[in-house]
mmCIF file of all heavy atoms in Angstrom:
data_model
loop_
_atom_site.group_PDB
_atom_site.id
_atom_site.type_symbol
_atom_site.label_atom_id
_atom_site.label_comp_id
_atom_site.label_asym_id
_atom_site.label_seq_id
_atom_site.Cartn_x
_atom_site.Cartn_y
_atom_site.Cartn_z
ATOM 1 N N ILE A 1522 82.456 173.576 195.953
ATOM 2 C CA ILE A 1522 82.913 172.354 196.629
ATOM 3 C C ILE A 1522 83.249 171.275 195.597
ATOM 4 O O ILE A 1522 84.304 170.650 195.664
ATOM 5 C CB ILE A 1522 81.856 171.853 197.638
ATOM 6 C CG1 ILE A 1522 81.710 172.846 198.792
ATOM 7 C CG2 ILE A 1522 82.225 170.455 198.155
ATOM 8 C CD1 ILE A 1522 80.495 172.616 199.674
ATOM 9 N N GLU A 1523 82.347 171.052 194.646
ATOM 10 C CA GLU A 1523 82.590 170.036 193.619
ATOM 11 C C GLU A 1523 83.829 170.368 192.791
ATOM 12 O O GLU A 1523 84.573 169.474 192.396
ATOM 13 C CB GLU A 1523 81.370 169.854 192.723
ATOM 14 C CG GLU A 1523 80.337 168.947 193.332
ATOM 15 C CD GLU A 1523 79.298 168.457 192.343
ATOM 16 O OE1 GLU A 1523 79.237 168.932 191.188
ATOM 17 O OE2 GLU A 1523 78.532 167.569 192.747
ATOM 18 N N ASN A 1524 84.046 171.632 192.552
ATOM 19 C CA ASN A 1524 85.216 172.073 191.799
ATOM 20 C C ASN A 1524 86.522 171.701 192.513
ATOM 21 O O ASN A 1524 87.538 171.459 191.882
ATOM 22 C CB ASN A 1524 85.134 173.589 191.575
ATOM 23 C CG ASN A 1524 86.020 174.051 190.458
ATOM 24 O OD1 ASN A 1524 86.201 173.348 189.475
ATOM 25 N ND2 ASN A 1524 86.557 175.241 190.603
ATOM 26 N N CYS A 1525 86.476 171.661 193.839
ATOM 27 C CA CYS A 1525 87.670 171.356 194.630
ATOM 28 C C CYS A 1525 87.750 169.891 195.062
ATOM 29 O O CYS A 1525 88.762 169.475 195.613
ATOM 30 C CB CYS A 1525 87.690 172.233 195.882
ATOM 31 S SG CYS A 1525 88.006 173.956 195.502
ATOM 32 N N SER A 1526 86.707 169.139 194.835
ATOM 33 C CA SER A 1526 86.694 167.739 195.282
ATOM 34 C C SER A 1526 86.808 166.820 194.070
ATOM 35 O O SER A 1526 85.811 166.343 193.545
ATOM 36 C CB SER A 1526 85.437 167.430 196.087
ATOM 37 O OG SER A 1526 84.282 167.732 195.325
ATOM 38 N N ILE A 1527 88.024 166.597 193.683
ATOM 39 C CA ILE A 1527 88.301 165.794 192.496
ATOM 40 C C ILE A 1527 87.711 164.392 192.662
ATOM 41 O O ILE A 1527 87.913 163.729 193.678
ATOM 42 C CB ILE A 1527 89.824 165.718 192.254
ATOM 43 C CG1 ILE A 1527 90.367 167.139 192.055
ATOM 44 C CG2 ILE A 1527 90.153 164.837 191.061
ATOM 45 C CD1 ILE A 1527 91.856 167.259 192.163
ATOM 46 N N LYS A 1528 86.955 163.983 191.656
ATOM 47 C CA LYS A 1528 86.305 162.662 191.600
ATOM 48 C C LYS A 1528 85.205 162.469 192.631
ATOM 49 O O LYS A 1528 84.720 161.361 192.819
ATOM 50 C CB LYS A 1528 87.338 161.529 191.731
ATOM 51 C CG LYS A 1528 88.360 161.511 190.617
ATOM 52 C CD LYS A 1528 89.305 160.351 190.799
ATOM 53 C CE LYS A 1528 90.389 160.393 189.736
ATOM 54 N NZ LYS A 1528 91.369 159.336 189.908
ATOM 55 N N TRP A 1529 84.803 163.515 193.328
ATOM 56 C CA TRP A 1529 83.732 163.393 194.315
ATOM 57 C C TRP A 1529 82.618 164.370 193.984
ATOM 58 O O TRP A 1529 82.780 165.584 194.133
ATOM 59 C CB TRP A 1529 84.248 163.677 195.728
ATOM 60 C CG TRP A 1529 84.925 162.504 196.328
ATOM 61 C CD1 TRP A 1529 86.246 162.197 196.253
ATOM 62 C CD2 TRP A 1529 84.315 161.463 197.086
ATOM 63 N NE1 TRP A 1529 86.506 161.034 196.920
ATOM 64 C CE2 TRP A 1529 85.328 160.552 197.445
ATOM 65 C CE3 TRP A 1529 83.013 161.203 197.491
ATOM 66 C CZ2 TRP A 1529 85.083 159.412 198.192
ATOM 67 C CZ3 TRP A 1529 82.772 160.072 198.240
ATOM 68 C CH2 TRP A 1529 83.795 159.187 198.584
ATOM 69 N N LYS A 1530 81.490 163.862 193.566
ATOM 70 C CA LYS A 1530 80.301 164.674 193.360
ATOM 71 C C LYS A 1530 79.627 164.861 194.720
ATOM 72 O O LYS A 1530 79.770 164.029 195.622
ATOM 73 C CB LYS A 1530 79.324 163.984 192.401
ATOM 74 C CG LYS A 1530 79.883 163.791 191.009
ATOM 75 C CD LYS A 1530 79.837 165.080 190.268
ATOM 76 C CE LYS A 1530 80.316 164.899 188.843
ATOM 77 N NZ LYS A 1530 80.829 166.117 188.286
ATOM 78 N N MET A 1531 78.878 165.922 194.859
ATOM 79 C CA MET A 1531 78.175 166.174 196.122
ATOM 80 C C MET A 1531 77.274 164.989 196.488
ATOM 81 O O MET A 1531 77.153 164.641 197.653
ATOM 82 C CB MET A 1531 77.332 167.452 196.018
ATOM 83 C CG MET A 1531 78.142 168.721 195.883
ATOM 84 S SD MET A 1531 79.130 169.119 197.328
ATOM 85 C CE MET A 1531 77.887 169.688 198.462
ATOM 86 N N SER A 1532 76.678 164.368 195.499
ATOM 87 C CA SER A 1532 75.757 163.257 195.757
ATOM 88 C C SER A 1532 76.467 162.036 196.363
ATOM 89 O O SER A 1532 75.820 161.210 197.006
ATOM 90 C CB SER A 1532 75.041 162.858 194.471
ATOM 91 O OG SER A 1532 75.980 162.460 193.488
ATOM 92 N N ARG A 1533 77.768 161.924 196.181
ATOM 93 C CA ARG A 1533 78.526 160.804 196.754
ATOM 94 C C ARG A 1533 78.963 161.070 198.188
ATOM 95 O O ARG A 1533 79.359 160.145 198.892
ATOM 96 C CB ARG A 1533 79.779 160.522 195.918
ATOM 97 C CG ARG A 1533 79.495 159.822 194.616
ATOM 98 C CD ARG A 1533 80.773 159.420 193.914
ATOM 99 N NE ARG A 1533 81.545 158.464 194.700
ATOM 100 C CZ ARG A 1533 82.862 158.314 194.602
ATOM 101 N NH1 ARG A 1533 83.562 159.058 193.767
ATOM 102 N NH2 ARG A 1533 83.491 157.420 195.345
ATOM 103 N N MET A 1534 78.922 162.315 198.602
ATOM 104 C CA MET A 1534 79.349 162.664 199.958
ATOM 105 C C MET A 1534 78.224 162.361 200.943
ATOM 106 O O MET A 1534 77.049 162.444 200.604
ATOM 107 C CB MET A 1534 79.684 164.149 200.037
ATOM 108 C CG MET A 1534 80.856 164.558 199.193
ATOM 109 S SD MET A 1534 81.086 166.357 199.264
ATOM 110 C CE MET A 1534 82.101 166.592 197.805
ATOM 111 N N SER A 1535 78.603 162.041 202.168
ATOM 112 C CA SER A 1535 77.579 161.827 203.195
ATOM 113 C C SER A 1535 76.842 163.142 203.440
ATOM 114 O O SER A 1535 77.374 164.230 203.173
ATOM 115 C CB SER A 1535 78.214 161.343 204.499
ATOM 116 O OG SER A 1535 78.924 162.389 205.124
ATOM 117 N N THR A 1536 75.653 163.057 203.949
ATOM 118 C CA THR A 1536 74.872 164.257 204.249
ATOM 119 C C THR A 1536 75.611 165.131 205.254
ATOM 120 O O THR A 1536 75.638 166.353 205.121
ATOM 121 C CB THR A 1536 73.473 163.876 204.774
ATOM 122 O OG1 THR A 1536 72.834 163.052 203.793
ATOM 123 C CG2 THR A 1536 72.621 165.108 205.027
ATOM 124 N N ALA A 1537 76.237 164.523 206.245
ATOM 125 C CA ALA A 1537 76.977 165.306 207.246
ATOM 126 C C ALA A 1537 78.144 166.051 206.596
ATOM 127 O O ALA A 1537 78.372 167.232 206.881
ATOM 128 C CB ALA A 1537 77.475 164.398 208.362
ATOM 129 N N THR A 1538 78.880 165.376 205.720
ATOM 130 C CA THR A 1538 80.015 166.021 205.049
ATOM 131 C C THR A 1538 79.541 167.159 204.163
ATOM 132 O O THR A 1538 80.104 168.262 204.208
ATOM 133 C CB THR A 1538 80.816 164.981 204.237
ATOM 134 O OG1 THR A 1538 81.442 164.081 205.159
ATOM 135 C CG2 THR A 1538 81.878 165.638 203.374
ATOM 136 N N ARG A 1539 78.512 166.928 203.359
ATOM 137 C CA ARG A 1539 77.964 168.005 202.511
ATOM 138 C C ARG A 1539 77.554 169.197 203.360
ATOM 139 O O ARG A 1539 77.834 170.341 203.030
ATOM 140 C CB ARG A 1539 76.716 167.515 201.746
ATOM 141 C CG ARG A 1539 76.968 166.823 200.470
ATOM 142 C CD ARG A 1539 75.696 166.681 199.640
ATOM 143 N NE ARG A 1539 74.518 166.232 200.371
ATOM 144 C CZ ARG A 1539 74.166 164.963 200.518
ATOM 145 N NH1 ARG A 1539 74.898 164.006 200.002
ATOM 146 N NH2 ARG A 1539 73.058 164.651 201.171
ATOM 147 N N THR A 1540 76.900 168.906 204.452
ATOM 148 C CA THR A 1540 76.363 169.957 205.314
ATOM 149 C C THR A 1540 77.469 170.799 205.934
ATOM 150 O O THR A 1540 77.413 172.029 205.892
ATOM 151 C CB THR A 1540 75.473 169.338 206.411
ATOM 152 O OG1 THR A 1540 74.405 168.615 205.776
ATOM 153 C CG2 THR A 1540 74.898 170.395 207.323
ATOM 154 N N ILE A 1541 78.484 170.159 206.500
ATOM 155 C CA ILE A 1541 79.546 170.945 207.147
ATOM 156 C C ILE A 1541 80.346 171.715 206.114
ATOM 157 O O ILE A 1541 80.776 172.843 206.370
ATOM 158 C CB ILE A 1541 80.453 170.073 208.054
ATOM 159 C CG1 ILE A 1541 81.213 170.967 209.051
ATOM 160 C CG2 ILE A 1541 81.421 169.232 207.259
ATOM 161 C CD1 ILE A 1541 80.357 171.747 210.002
#
Side-chain angles (χ1 to χ4, degrees):
I1522 293 167
E1523 278 195 351
N1524 199 35
C1525 290
S1526 56
I1527 300 165
K1528 298 182 184 177
W1529 279 90
K1530 297 283 183 205
M1531 293 294 286
S1532 60
R1533 285 187 63 206
M1534 295 176 199
S1535 72
T1536 303
T1538 292
R1539 274 194 315 269
T1540 301
I1541 199 62

